[in-house]
């Protein structure tokens, strides 16, 4: 049996729960990298680094359930070897020893670099970046977060006797720093703060099945979160699903909420992605630019600079400035999302949608869906609240990771929503919606006024003739 | 230049017999106890990862990464505070401890009376016999060569293939768990996953088919992978599904094939038997131990012991040895999967199921190798028992929601007509509720087999195995067009 330990004397350093973010020392980072690279004969390199602190709380029926905090750091080093091939390595250690090991790992990996497609520095890595009005917000600390979330849970449960728990909830705040630098002197650096709140309640009435609903809010700081709005939305959604019934299998006029449509568009974003096009896994081809892929009154932009985009960044993983990009105009595909390598292949400029890697990923930032300038659907009578038509209002799509076949265009997804008849909503018990994204984009019959959500901008989108499978 | 991975840990790893780490850990634990914590747990982790992607006949991505970090969890009166950090220096770890203590209103400057710590028990070192696994794993040359061999085989066996891909990931992890109840255990884990996938296209017809394989603790797994069989299976499936019609939705009986068909139990029931769900009040089975919750044909097991299986482990992420846990026996609920917090909050005894993706997550009760046990029937008998229904040969992913509604997609399906397999169909999504579907699993075949997968939940994405023999579900909603 071990004996009780001797306790060494150590100063007590109890601190507030929120940890301050120590900024990355860019000059030291660059000096170390330059020195190691010179020693190893590496003439070209670039690096992406990030560091963050965060705190979050969860509650359960008036009590703290879990309180969490994290300090994270990561770097990705990319090097070009003497044959011009690229290798990368990532690690969580920003110390000199970590950098040295990462650089060595990247050099080793470069022996397996793809000679058919060699990334280069973005030609825009030193171009001016946009000014973002995102003032850093102070952290309130975990005690304050806990108090707010307990109160939010209490208020939400008080809204209806059938709501017994809020099984999924969380309130978090954090601060992060990100930078990009390369051996040609490019330097990008940014800091941001972000807070989030989510409340998903569970409700059950005697003899009936449990139902759930929820809401999410994001803000730059926890003081700015719309807590009351989140409670209100979560309550309304949950309560609205208490009265439910199965739906008859068939084809329906469907209205997607902005959140649901943005989820669907995001799941099929490979059709707008030059990387996926070049890899052959997109529904689009290089020659698809200019094709009519949707109804003429639909336009889609990607706008990482939108004021509602809490996670906005002024540059991407390759240091390319973020900008608003038109993707679909009057239903025609007008541009793809690009990295440096894909842009070079297509003979255009990078668009600010790249990651950082040996094979650079490309992804959307913040979709803006709307009606094309000067156009209309001719179906302005359709409105998700006022319409007297029979339709299915899809509030949220589930299991997108499993039910979307992006390279085939097909989807078959469970959803939460309502059957609306004569303006009266009855929650759909359990059902799926299925179709083909190409057909869907051409079967849109109306777009309402755009709404800014936490994940993008979109109107309620009306689509005719979608297949719904239900239990009735 | 802020995060620190102390040089001794980088060079010597987390072996307390080589690295001066035990004293550091014991210091953290006694400090936490003296501050008034009921229990303090420190999880240290060191990882080394390689990801490789081959497309057509080229290697297009090699992505190495490595990390070190710690997760410190403090319990007090049923609550817990958890802090993760990449800074393993003395100052960094103490700062993390202080944060975790402060979350629970505890402070090292206000010493609680009566707190004791009897010291760490002798190390249980599950990693000692695995010390050379990283070195024995395939190097980059071998990994890239094997994947290119795979994509070449796809070309040889396939038709109308527009995309051929091979992928490989090797995850090596060394963990050390120390807790103020004396727990002191170290392990080394090696997970390898590899896969082949294709996109076949002919005119407007397209089919994307993939197969993934995974193992734990088998350094030679990639070298021994039967590439020819895998490539042939993928190509055959793609050829079949290329011109398959979309399934017509509705309620119908289904037969789910063995191996990855086990995703139905994983999603429909497995998650609901984790104590995290009991704590949340989101499982309909919370008070059903000893009651019939499934068809008497169903016996279900979760274990971490099957040699080489993706979800196997020598110890969980709380230092407890893996077990075999019978969840359901002949339809009757036997017990829940539980971790340290689950035991504390729900009373269900720990089952060695405390798992996490990495040090950034607190452990939670999670599945390991989870499967429905073999039954007495031949697979053909299940199909023969159905007049009109669906045979699900290959499954995609799935999920379960807060009210027990589950779903999963079918990658390769066939209509069953008059007891025989008919035309291939695609685009099916199966949905249902656990309480309703479990009693409808009425027949189990005798061909139990397992398949590797990833499970994402409260403590991150972890390696798991799903499995089952062929099973028949009497009625389920099949979403389609």
């Amino acid at each position: 049996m071990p004996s009780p330990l001797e306790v060494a004397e150590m100063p007590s350093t109890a601190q507030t729960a929120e940890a301050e973010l120590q900024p990355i020392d860019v000059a030291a980072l660059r000096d170390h990298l330059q020195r190691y690279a010179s020693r190893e004969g590496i003439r070209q390199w670039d690096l992406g680094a990030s560091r963050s602190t965060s705190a979050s709380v969860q509650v359960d029926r008036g009590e703290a359930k879990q309180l969490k905090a994290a300090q994270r750091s990561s770097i990705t080093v990319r090097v070009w070897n003497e044959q011009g091939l690229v290798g990368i390595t990532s690690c969580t250690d920003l110390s000199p020893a970590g950098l040295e090991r990462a650089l060595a790992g990247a050099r080793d990996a470069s022996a397996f670099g793809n000679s058919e497609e060699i990334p280069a520095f973005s030609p825009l890595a030193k171009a001016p970046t946009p000014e973002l009005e995102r003032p850093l917000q102070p952290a309130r600390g975990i005690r304050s977060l806990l108090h707010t979330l307990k109160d939010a849970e209490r208020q939400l449960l008080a809204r209806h006797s059938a709501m017994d728990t809020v099984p999924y909830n969380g309130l978090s705040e954090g601060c992060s720093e990100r930078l990009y630098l390369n051996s040609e002197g490019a330097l990008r650096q940014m800091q941001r703060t972000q807070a989030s709140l989510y409340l998903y309640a569970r409700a059950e009435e005697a003899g009936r099945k449990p139902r759930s609903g929820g809401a999410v809010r994001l803000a730059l700081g926890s003081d700015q979160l719309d807590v009351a709005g989140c409670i209100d939305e979560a309550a309304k959604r949950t309560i609205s699903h208490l009265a439910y019934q199965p739906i008859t299998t068939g084809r329906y006029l469907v209205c997607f909420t902005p959140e649901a449509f943005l989820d669907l568009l995001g799941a099929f974003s490979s059709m707008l992605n030059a990387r996926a096009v070049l890899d052959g896994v997109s529904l689009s081809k290089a020659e698809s630019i200019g094709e009519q892929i949707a109804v003429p009154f639909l336009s889609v932009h990607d706008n990482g600079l939108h004021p509602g985009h809490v996670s906005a960044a002024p540059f991407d993983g390759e240091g390319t400035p973020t900008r608003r990009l038109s993707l679909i105009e009057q239903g025609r595909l007008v541009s793809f999302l690009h990295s440096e390598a894909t842009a070079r292949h297509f003979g255009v400029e990078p668009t600010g949608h790249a990651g950082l890697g040996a094979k650079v990923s490309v992804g959307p930032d913040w979709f803006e869906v709307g009606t094309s300038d000067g156009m209309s659907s001719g179906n302005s009578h359709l409105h998700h609240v006022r319409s007297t038509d029979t339709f299915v209002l899809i509030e949220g799509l589930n299991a997108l990771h499993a039910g979307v076949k992006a390279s085939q265009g097909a989807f078959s997804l469970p959803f939460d929503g309502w059957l609306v008849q004569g303006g009266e909503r009855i929650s759909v018990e359990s059902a799926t919606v299925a179709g083909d994204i190409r057909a869907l984009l051409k079967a849109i019959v109306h777009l309402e006024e755009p709404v800014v959500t936490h994940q993008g901008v979109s109107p309620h989108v009306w689509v005719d003739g979608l297949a719904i499978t239900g239990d009735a | 230049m802020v995060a620190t991975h102390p040089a001794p840990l980088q060079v010597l790893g987390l072996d307390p017999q080589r690295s001066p780490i035990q004293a550091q850990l014991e210091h953290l634990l006694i400090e936490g106890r003296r501050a008034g914590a009921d229990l303090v747990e420190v999880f240290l982790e060191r990882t080394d990862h390689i990801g490789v992607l081959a497309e057509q006949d080229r290697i297009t991505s090699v992505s190495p990464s490595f990390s070190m970090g710690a997760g410190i969890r403090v319990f007090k009166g049923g609550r817990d505070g958890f802090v993760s950090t990449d800074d393993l220096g003395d100052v960094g770890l103490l700062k993390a401890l202080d944060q975790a203590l402060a979350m629970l209103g505890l402070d090292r400057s206000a010493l609680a009376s009566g707190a004791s710590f009897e010291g760490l028990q002798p190390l249980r070192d599950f990693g000692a016999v695995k010390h050379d696994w990283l070195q024995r794993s395939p190097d980059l040359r071998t990994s890239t060569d094997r994947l290119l061999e795979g994509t070449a085989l796809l070309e040889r066996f396939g038709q109308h293939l527009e995309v051929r891909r091979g992928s490989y990931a090797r995850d090596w992890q060394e963990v050390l768990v120390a807790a103020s109840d004396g727990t002191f255990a170290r392990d080394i884990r090696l997970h390898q996953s590899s896969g082949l996938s294709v996109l076949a296209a002919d005119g407007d017809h397209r089919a994307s088919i993939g197969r993934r394989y995974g193992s734990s603790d088998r350094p030679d797994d990639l070298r021994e992978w039967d590439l020819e069989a895998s490539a042939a299976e993928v190509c055959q499936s793609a050829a079949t599904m290329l011109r398959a019609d979309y399934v017509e939705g509705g309620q119908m009986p289904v037969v789910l094939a063995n191996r990855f068909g086990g995703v139905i139990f994983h999603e429909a029931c497995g998650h609901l038997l984790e104590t995290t769900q009991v704590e949340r009040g989101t499982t309909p089975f919370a008070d059903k131990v000893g009651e019939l919750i499934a068809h008497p044909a169903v016996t279900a097991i979760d274990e971490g012991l099957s040699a080489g299986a993706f979800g196997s482990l020598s110890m969980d992420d709380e230092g407890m040895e893996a077990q075999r846990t019978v969840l359901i026996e002949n339809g009757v609920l036997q017990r829940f999967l539980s971790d340290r917090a689950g035991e504390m909050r729900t009373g269900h005894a720990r089952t060695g199921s405390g798992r996490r993706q990495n040090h950034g997550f607190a452990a939670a009760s999670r599945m390991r190798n989870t499967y429905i046990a073999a039954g007495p029937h031949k697979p053909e008998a299940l199909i023969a028992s159905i007049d009109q229904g669906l045979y699900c040969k290959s499954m995609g992913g799935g999920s379960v929601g807060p009210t027990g509604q589950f779903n999963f997609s079918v990658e390769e399906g066939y209509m069953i007509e008059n007891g025989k397999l008919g035309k291939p169909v695609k685009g099916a999504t199966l949905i249902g509720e656990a309480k309703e579907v479990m009693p409808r699993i009425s027949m189990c075949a005798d061909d139990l087999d397992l398949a590797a997968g990833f499970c994402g939940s409260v403590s991150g994405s972890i390696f798991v195995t799903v499995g089952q023999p062929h099973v028949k579900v009497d009625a389920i909603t099949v979403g389609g067009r």
Side-chain angles (χ1 to χ4, degrees):
Chain A
M1 188 75 178
S3 59
L5 290 172
E6 292 295 320
V7 180
E9 286 301 317
M10 292 197 69
S12 177
T13 55
Q15 300 167 356
T16 54
E18 72 275 22
E20 72 284 2
L21 184 66
Q22 297 176 35
I24 299 171
D25 184 342
V26 179
L29 193 61
R30 185 194 293 276
D31 286 348
H32 281 292
L33 266 170
Q34 199 67 61
R35 195 178 322 132
Y36 296 142
S38 298
R39 195 181 71 196
E40 300 296 328
I42 298 168
R43 287 191 296 276
Q44 186 178 350
W45 53 263
D46 64 0
L47 172 145
S50 67
R51 182 162 169 75
S52 67
T53 65
S54 63
S56 65
V57 297
Q58 292 176 22
V59 299
D60 182 12
R61 285 158 281 195
E63 294 295 329
K65 184 170 186 300
Q66 187 165 73
L67 313 175
K68 291 177 72 173
Q71 293 96 38
R72 294 193 180 93
S73 56
S74 71
I75 57 171
T76 296
V77 181
R78 191 166 63 160
V79 306
W80 281 252
N81 67 18
E82 290 181 350
Q83 288 74 45
L85 302 178
V86 172
I88 70 157
T89 289
S90 302
C91 77
T92 59
D93 187 358
L94 272 65
S95 71
L99 282 176
E100 189 169 359
R101 189 177 163 204
L103 208 63
R107 184 199 53 215
D108 293 345
S110 69
F112 300 90
N114 181 7
S115 61
E116 289 290 295
E117 186 182 295
I118 300 175
F121 292 156
S122 168
L124 302 176
K126 294 182 188 175
T129 53
E131 290 289 328
L132 289 173
E133 283 297 316
R134 303 289 193 280
L136 301 180
Q137 301 299 312
R140 284 165 48 192
I142 213 151
R143 297 279 185 85
S144 176
L145 296 181
L146 181 59
H147 180 268
T148 300
L149 189 58
K150 279 184 179 178
D151 193 49
E153 185 201 40
R154 182 185 56 76
Q155 287 188 51
L156 178 53
L157 292 177
R159 292 291 184 92
H160 198 285
S161 59
M163 282 197 283
D164 51 359
T165 63
V166 187
Y168 295 91
N169 64 73
L171 175 56
S172 70
E173 62 183 9
C175 182
S176 63
E177 180 183 20
R178 186 161 78 82
L179 66 83
Y180 170 83
L181 54 92
N182 70 29
S183 54
E184 288 184 352
L187 169 62
R188 307 293 201 193
Q189 197 165 9
M190 64 160 289
Q191 272 198 322
R192 72 171 166 228
T193 54
Q194 185 172 325
S196 69
L197 168 68
Y198 63 93
L199 299 167
Y200 279 80
R202 180 183 184 278
E204 187 168 8
E205 291 182 314
R208 305 281 281 166
K209 291 180 179 179
R211 310 291 285 167
S212 71
V216 179
R217 291 293 186 276
L218 299 181
L220 297 177
S222 51
D223 275 338
Q224 300 177 341
L225 284 166
D226 176 16
V227 178
C230 192
I231 294 168
D232 198 44
E233 185 179 332
K236 283 179 177 168
R237 288 192 168 186
T238 308
I239 293 166
S240 73
H241 288 298
L242 280 172
Y244 63 87
Q245 63 184 33
I247 189 169
T248 304
T249 298
R251 290 195 176 269
Y252 289 83
L253 174 64
V254 168
C255 175
F256 290 92
T257 60
E259 293 88 348
F261 189 75
L262 287 167
D263 276 341
L264 191 65
L265 187 62
F268 285 102
S269 64
S270 61
M271 63 193 299
L272 306 169
N273 184 322
R275 178 73 269 165
V277 172
L278 293 179
D279 290 346
V281 294
S282 172
L283 293 171
S284 302
K285 304 286 185 191
E287 56 274 19
S288 297
I289 295 292
E291 277 183 14
Q292 190 80 35
I293 64 168
V295 290
F297 54 88
L298 178 78
S299 77
V300 177
H301 291 76
D302 187 273
N303 184 10
L305 304 174
H306 191 280
H309 186 10
V310 170
S311 304
F315 57 90
D316 72 1
E318 297 180 317
T320 302
T322 305
R323 65 183 168 100
R324 187 171 190 259
L325 177 71
S326 180
L327 296 165
I328 300 173
E329 281 182 10
Q330 297 187 358
R332 291 186 187 279
L333 182 64
V334 294
S335 178
F336 292 126
L337 307 166
H338 284 286
S339 65
E340 177 282 327
T342 65
R344 185 156 36 95
H345 186 277
F346 280 78
V348 297
E349 283 195 330
T351 58
H353 295 90
L356 180 65
K359 176 175 181 172
V360 176
S361 63
V362 176
D365 198 345
W366 174 269
F367 282 128
E368 281 182 336
V369 180
T371 303
S372 306
D373 288 343
M375 303 196 80
S376 87
S377 67
N379 288 311
S380 57
H381 65 286
L382 294 173
H383 189 276
H384 68 283
V385 175
R386 295 192 297 270
S387 182
T388 55
D389 296 59
T390 295
F391 64 97
V392 173
L393 177 56
I394 292 183
E395 173 191 41
L397 297 165
N398 304 319
L400 288 128
H401 67 290
V404 165
K405 295 287 186 188
S407 59
Q408 297 177 26
F411 62 91
S412 179
L413 298 164
F415 68 89
D416 299 317
W418 303 270
L419 175 65
V420 187
Q421 291 175 304
E424 185 188 355
R425 292 184 184 183
I426 295 292
S427 178
V428 175
E429 180 183 352
S430 175
T432 65
V433 58
D436 181 286
I437 190 68
R438 293 161 296 191
L440 182 149
L441 290 173
K442 290 183 175 175
I444 295 173
V445 292
H446 184 56
L447 304 172
E448 296 182 23
E449 285 299 307
V451 176
V452 180
T453 76
H454 68 275
Q455 58 193 112
V457 179
S458 174
H460 283 75
V461 177
W462 290 74
V463 181
D464 200 17
L466 279 178
I468 304 270
T469 303
D471 282 343
Chain B
M1 315 301 284
V2 285
T4 56
H5 293 184
L9 294 185
Q10 286 194 38
V11 176
L12 302 173
L14 303 179
D15 182 352
Q17 297 177 49
R18 301 176 67 212
S19 209
I21 199 169
Q22 182 165 349
Q24 189 182 18
L25 289 170
E26 288 178 324
H27 191 87
L28 288 169
L29 299 176
I30 187 63
E31 287 288 302
R33 285 284 289 139
R34 291 178 67 186
D38 293 340
L39 187 127
V40 181
E41 179 200 79
V42 182
F43 176 85
L44 293 179
E45 176 194 39
R46 193 164 69 116
T47 69
D48 191 308
H49 166 88
I50 286 177
V52 184
L53 176 67
E55 292 174 281
Q56 324 308 354
D57 299 303
R58 288 197 168 274
I59 298 299
T60 55
S61 180
V62 174
S63 307
S65 63
F66 57 91
S67 71
M68 290 184 73
I72 297 180
R73 195 174 191 183
V74 173
F75 289 88
K76 177 71 177 174
R79 294 189 299 150
D80 73 280
F82 176 78
V83 176
S84 64
T85 180
D86 296 335
D87 185 348
L88 299 188
D90 288 339
V91 174
L93 288 173
L94 270 174
K95 183 177 170 182
L97 173 65
D98 285 331
Q99 276 188 277
L101 290 169
M103 290 172 180
L104 304 177
L106 303 175
D107 184 339
R108 283 197 292 130
S109 64
L111 300 183
S113 60
S116 64
F117 174 48
E118 299 298 318
L120 292 171
Q121 296 165 358
L123 179 73
R124 286 177 299 127
D125 193 352
F126 300 100
V129 297
K130 312 173 187 176
H131 63 91
D132 62 347
W133 279 5
L134 184 58
Q135 290 71 35
R136 285 173 53 197
S137 298
D139 59 16
L140 278 177
R141 174 59 61 197
T142 305
S143 308
T144 54
D145 285 350
R146 289 292 279 162
L147 289 189
L148 291 174
E149 193 183 333
T151 57
L153 285 164
L154 292 172
E155 173 72 5
R156 194 172 112 203
F157 294 140
Q159 292 182 318
H160 305 293
L161 301 187
E162 293 206 342
V163 177
R164 294 171 283 125
R165 280 181 168 170
S167 61
Y168 168 69
R170 186 263 287 142
D171 289 281
W172 178 92
Q173 182 194 40
E174 180 184 23
V175 300
L176 184 65
V177 180
S180 59
D181 64 356
T183 299
F184 194 34
R186 171 179 172 265
D187 195 14
I188 287 174
R189 289 93 176 250
L190 176 68
H191 290 91
Q192 296 179 86
S193 62
S194 46
L196 295 176
S197 63
V198 297
L199 173 64
D202 187 17
D204 289 338
H205 300 286
R206 291 165 83 92
S208 54
I209 298 292
R211 296 285 188 274
R212 175 158 291 282
Y213 312 90
S215 71
S216 66
D217 301 351
R218 285 181 171 162
D220 292 323
D221 192 57
L222 181 67
R223 299 183 187 94
E224 295 170 353
W225 181 16
D226 187 346
L227 277 163
E228 199 159 309
S230 297
E233 183 184 350
V234 168
C235 290
Q236 183 175 354
S237 179
T240 303
M241 300 310 295
L242 181 58
R243 292 179 180 79
D245 291 333
Y246 285 97
V247 70
E248 192 175 325
Q251 278 260 342
M252 62 187 81
V254 302
V255 173
L256 297 160
N258 60 355
R259 305 186 74 240
F260 210 69
V263 72
I264 187 174
F265 184 80
H266 181 100
E267 301 296 355
C269 192
H271 279 297
L272 302 177
L273 300 181
E274 297 166 339
T275 50
T276 49
Q277 304 282 341
V278 179
E279 290 178 52
R280 283 203 171 104
T282 49
T283 173
F285 303 129
D287 56 353
K288 302 287 191 240
V289 172
E291 294 183 25
L292 197 69
I293 66 164
H295 194 284
V298 175
T299 291
I301 290 148
D302 180 278
E303 47 86 356
L305 303 172
S306 293
F310 215 35
S312 291
L313 31 91
S314 299
M315 66 175 214
D316 72 0
D317 292 325
E318 297 178 320
M320 184 175 182
E321 286 185 60
Q323 295 183 349
R324 181 178 187 271
T325 308
V326 177
L327 301 170
I328 297 170
E329 190 164 25
N330 300 326
V332 176
L333 178 61
Q334 301 295 313
R335 66 182 304 180
F336 285 82
L337 298 173
S338 186
D339 62 329
R340 193 189 285 279
E343 180 177 80
M344 195 178 295
R345 293 170 184 150
T346 69
H348 292 285
R350 291 168 68 189
T351 52
S353 307
R355 302 188 66 192
R356 59 183 113 199
Q357 178 178 336
N358 57 38
H359 66 273
F361 296 86
S365 55
R366 303 289 295 275
M367 285 175 270
R368 299 160 296 192
N369 308 309
T370 313
Y371 48 85
I372 295 174
H377 304 285
K378 293 296 175 194
E380 302 77 27
L382 277 58
I383 294 166
S385 71
I386 294 175
D387 289 335
Q388 296 287 326
L390 179 69
Y391 174 55
C392 306
K393 182 178 179 184
S394 174
M395 261 58 69
S399 64
V400 62
T403 59
Q405 280 197 333
F406 69 88
N407 61 76
F408 61 95
S409 65
V410 181
E411 196 167 79
E412 182 177 350
Y414 297 83
M415 297 312 299
I416 300 173
E417 289 154 11
N418 301 320
K420 291 187 169 58
L421 292 186
K423 67 175 185 177
V425 289
K426 61 186 175 186
T429 297
L430 273 53
I431 61 172
E433 294 197 24
K435 277 176 76 171
E436 294 176 352
V437 81
M438 293 309 297
R440 297 180 189 163
I441 299 177
S442 59
M443 294 175 77
C444 295
D446 58 359
D447 58 346
L448 170 65
D449 203 354
L450 308 181
F454 295 90
C455 173
S457 185
V458 60
S459 60
S461 177
I462 59 171
F463 308 102
V464 297
T465 298
V466 298
Q468 65 172 31
H470 275 75
V471 302
K472 176 188 173 186
V473 183
D474 289 337
I476 194 167
T477 300
V478 178
R481 295 189 188 178

